[in-house]
Amino acid sequence: MVDGALRAVRADPDLHLLLVGPAEAAGALIDALDPAQRARVAVRPVRSVVRMADHPVAARSDSTVRAAVHAVRDGIADALVSAGSTGATVTAVALGLGRWPDVRRPALVATLPAVAGPVVLLDVGGSLEPRPATLTRHAVLGAAYAAVAHAVGTPRVGLLSVGTEAGKGDRARRLADPVLAAAPLPCGARYVGLVEGYDVSLGTRADVVVTDGFTGNVLLKAIEGAYAMAGGPPPGGGAPRAAALLGVAGTVVVCHGAARADDVASGIALAAHLWRRRAADQVRALLDGAGAGDPEESTDRTTDTEVPTS
Amino acid sequence: MVDGALRAVRADPDLHLLLVGPAEAAGALIDALDPAQRARVAVRPVRSVVRMADHPVAARSDSTVRAAVHAVRDGIADALVSAGSTGATVTAVALGLGRWPDVRRPALVATLPAVAGPVVLLDVGGSLEPRPATLTRHAVLGAAYAAVAHAVGTPRVGLLSVGTEAGKGDRARRLADPVLAAAPLPCGARYVGLVEGYDVSLGTRADVVVTDGFTGNVLLKAIEGAYAMAGGPPPGGGAPRAAALLGVAGTVVVCHGAARADDVASGIALAAHLWRRRAADQVRALLDGAGAGDPEESTDRTTDTEVPTS
């Protein structure tokens, strides 16, 4: 984690880093930086770490992720990057920074390289059992994100299913398809209907692929495994190991729980990119234009990444 | 389709083929075979084809898949291969050949090449919203299939989820995990708990990965797309474009709807392999040893691949 963070500092001369965690983990590595780089790194010592097996509400206590959220809330940091438990990070961020009023379920958004440009996949683990209203809200978020973060003009938005013919899919997809078809989308985006697994890796049919967080998470990891099997990622880059959290009042990137130094560095670079583009603010503004969220979204089933409202 | 079938005839000197479909589609290609090969190919002319957009019950009428099922039922063919609508094929087979009494939901089983050997993935599109009892039944089917069809000794069986820690996943996974942990499995198989997307492509943690048909279908196609992005499949072979249908009284292989000639040929080769190993009978016998199906399975939600009981 620290090694990756220091790589990011070396790669980006305008980046300042606040490391939040056990002080001794960072010491030796920071000493290895030259004085100019060292001046851009600070450490906020926090001992309590939320482990992967902990319940997300553990993040309410005095933990690293909570301290990092406070640093953003207090204006000491501009963005937050975490490679810890996704549920704990989402919970701590929603409590500490707040969600946008019309987004009950923040979305984890991953961008995959594909043949004709990037494919924005959401959700990849934040909301495991979304209702049609949440999928529709995520379609709006994804279209705005593709336009703002990746400069995709008039994004094509697809709903992931087992076939492209209308009516294909499970109950959740059959309910969501007509809702999505009728939803206003920002940035000239248009809904192209049902897409399939290939479309996530190849990007031929859609620039934005909307799915539930369970399928998105499993899919992203399967694609990563396939690239490893094939001897390495394609020239344009492999499956991302960092995802942006959209729908919260701040710039937040969640890295893969098994992140390597390179992954952490790319997660930090993504956070810097999003902050410099004011992506969160811009997506937020586009969301206002696309109309308020559907109240039905608030009746989503509770999942392990449920964001408590109290 | 016909080109792939004839490739299979050329590759396997003991294979006899009955082509069921419009006669004119096969004529010219059959003429290209030498007389010895031609003697192993017959055509049963049927005009009505179930299209991808048709409802599966269309397969009840006088269609190619129905005629092919009758050929197996009447002992004219030993196995059935279809590249048509999965739902229509599953419906026609269940009606015409029957399901095993303790399997309400037949499973589509795909075998992927992985680092340490094959990974058996099920379901890949037959049962989109299975209950825990169906996932457990499929775990038993998958373990028996891995042992019988791929000679995997003491298969490791995993349940696909978004993390490996107990409790990770959506409601369906959290319900199924303890049920699977308590289920008797055949062939010395053991349940290894939750596995992730990587495990499907890499096979490091499990030989059999159990999931719902929605996730399995999407996953298989995403892996196929990833191999195409990476410049081609790994040396051991790519994502399969043919799946065995388990839980029905017969040897049935379903090819990918967008199957190319090579895919059809490999689907036919798979059917021949399974029939020569008497895989369906052997899996059936192992199922008896693992105890009867849970009656809860019969309360599964209706999906578009629901098998009518009348």
Side-chain angles (χ1 to χ4, degrees):
Chain A
M1 185 75 196
V2 174
D3 190 34
L6 298 181
R7 282 189 205 192
V9 169
R10 287 193 170 117
D12 181 346
D14 295 325
L15 186 79
H16 291 253
L17 212 62
L18 176 66
L19 297 173
V20 182
E24 66 276 18
L29 282 157
I30 290 171
D31 291 345
L33 290 170
D34 67 42
Q37 290 167 344
R38 208 180 303 155
R40 293 189 281 118
V41 179
V43 177
R44 174 164 294 199
V46 177
R47 298 220 63 82
S48 166
V49 173
V50 180
R51 289 177 307 270
M52 286 296 169
D54 288 343
H55 194 275
V57 295
R60 295 200 211 193
S61 65
D62 195 29
S63 61
T64 49
V65 68
R66 192 91 165 124
V69 166
H70 287 171
V72 173
R73 186 196 61 191
D74 300 340
I76 294 162
D78 293 315
L80 184 155
V81 178
S82 168
S85 152
T86 301
T89 304
V90 174
T91 301
V93 167
L95 288 174
L97 304 182
R99 285 165 293 170
W100 296 339
D102 46 6
V103 177
R104 177 157 170 85
R105 299 243 158 222
L108 275 171
V109 188
T111 305
L112 295 95
V115 172
V119 169
V120 167
L121 175 69
L122 75 170
D123 181 41
V124 297
S127 189
L128 301 185
E129 292 171 89
R131 285 186 175 255
T134 298
L135 290 171
T136 305
R137 208 79 197 121
H138 286 182
V140 173
L141 285 171
Y145 184 81
V148 168
H150 303 297
V152 176
T154 62
R156 300 162 299 162
V157 178
L159 175 65
L160 189 62
S161 193
V162 297
T164 57
E165 301 87 1
K168 286 278 180 191
D170 60 1
R171 192 165 164 275
R173 275 15 92 154
R174 293 197 305 269
L175 285 170
D177 184 37
V179 178
L180 275 162
L185 296 173
C187 308
R190 64 189 172 86
Y191 178 58
V192 297
L194 303 180
V195 298
E196 296 178 275
Y198 325 105
D199 297 302
V200 176
S201 12
L202 296 171
T204 35
R205 279 209 198 95
D207 307 299
V208 178
V209 175
V210 179
T211 191
D212 62 278
F214 182 88
T215 307
N217 183 286
V218 161
L219 204 66
L220 198 60
K221 291 172 179 170
I223 291 173
E224 188 184 327
Y227 286 148
M229 271 294 287
R241 289 165 68 98
L245 184 65
L246 281 189
V248 294
T251 300
V252 179
V253 168
V254 176
C255 291
H256 206 289
R260 297 168 304 235
D262 277 349
D263 304 322
V264 171
S266 75
I268 293 169
L270 173 62
H273 170 78
L274 295 176
W275 186 78
R276 285 169 181 149
R277 289 209 175 197
R278 300 288 185 274
D281 292 346
Q282 283 201 60
V283 170
R284 176 84 196 85
L286 289 165
L287 209 60
D288 288 336
D294 189 316
E296 193 209 335
E297 198 191 347
S298 65
T299 60
D300 264 9
R301 271 189 221 159
T302 298
T303 71
D304 61 351
T305 51
E306 166 82 356
V307 176
T309 49
S310 63
Chain B
M1 185 74 196
V2 174
D3 191 34
L6 298 181
R7 281 188 206 191
V9 168
R10 287 192 171 119
D12 182 346
D14 295 324
L15 186 78
H16 290 251
L17 213 62
L18 176 66
L19 298 173
V20 182
E24 66 275 19
L29 282 157
I30 291 170
D31 290 345
L33 290 170
D34 68 41
Q37 290 166 344
R38 207 179 304 154
R40 293 190 281 119
V41 179
V43 177
R44 172 164 295 199
V46 177
R47 298 220 63 82
S48 166
V49 173
V50 181
R51 289 177 308 270
M52 285 297 169
D54 290 341
H55 193 277
V57 294
R60 295 200 211 193
S61 66
D62 196 28
S63 62
T64 49
V65 67
R66 193 91 167 123
V69 165
H70 287 171
V72 173
R73 186 196 60 193
D74 300 342
I76 294 162
D78 293 316
L80 184 155
V81 178
S82 169
S85 153
T86 301
T89 304
V90 174
T91 301
V93 167
L95 288 173
L97 303 183
R99 286 166 291 170
W100 296 338
D102 45 6
V103 177
R104 176 157 171 84
R105 300 244 158 224
L108 274 170
V109 188
T111 305
L112 295 95
V115 173
V119 169
V120 167
L121 175 68
L122 76 167
D123 178 42
V124 297
S127 188
L128 300 184
E129 292 171 89
R131 285 184 175 257
T134 298
L135 290 171
T136 305
R137 209 77 198 122
H138 286 182
V140 173
L141 284 172
Y145 184 81
V148 168
H150 302 297
V152 176
T154 62
R156 298 161 300 161
V157 178
L159 175 65
L160 189 62
S161 193
V162 297
T164 56
E165 301 87 2
K168 287 278 180 191
D170 59 1
R171 193 165 164 274
R173 275 18 89 154
R174 292 198 305 270
L175 284 171
D177 184 36
V179 177
L180 274 162
L185 296 172
C187 308
R190 64 191 174 88
Y191 178 58
V192 297
L194 303 180
V195 298
E196 296 180 275
Y198 325 104
D199 297 302
V200 176
S201 10
L202 296 172
T204 33
R205 278 210 199 94
D207 307 299
V208 177
V209 175
V210 179
T211 191
D212 62 278
F214 182 88
T215 306
N217 184 288
V218 161
L219 204 67
L220 197 60
K221 291 171 178 171
I223 291 172
E224 189 184 325
Y227 287 148
M229 273 292 288
R241 290 166 67 97
L245 184 65
L246 281 189
V248 295
T251 300
V252 179
V253 168
V254 176
C255 290
H256 205 289
R260 297 169 305 237
D262 277 350
D263 304 323
V264 172
S266 74
I268 293 169
L270 173 61
H273 169 78
L274 295 176
W275 186 79
R276 284 168 181 151
R277 287 212 176 195
R278 299 289 184 274
D281 292 344
Q282 283 201 60
V283 170
R284 175 83 196 88
L286 288 165
L287 210 59
D288 289 336
D294 189 316
E296 194 209 336
E297 198 192 350
S298 65
T299 59
D300 265 9
R301 272 188 220 159
T302 298
T303 70
D304 62 351
T305 51
E306 165 82 358
V307 176
T309 47
S310 64

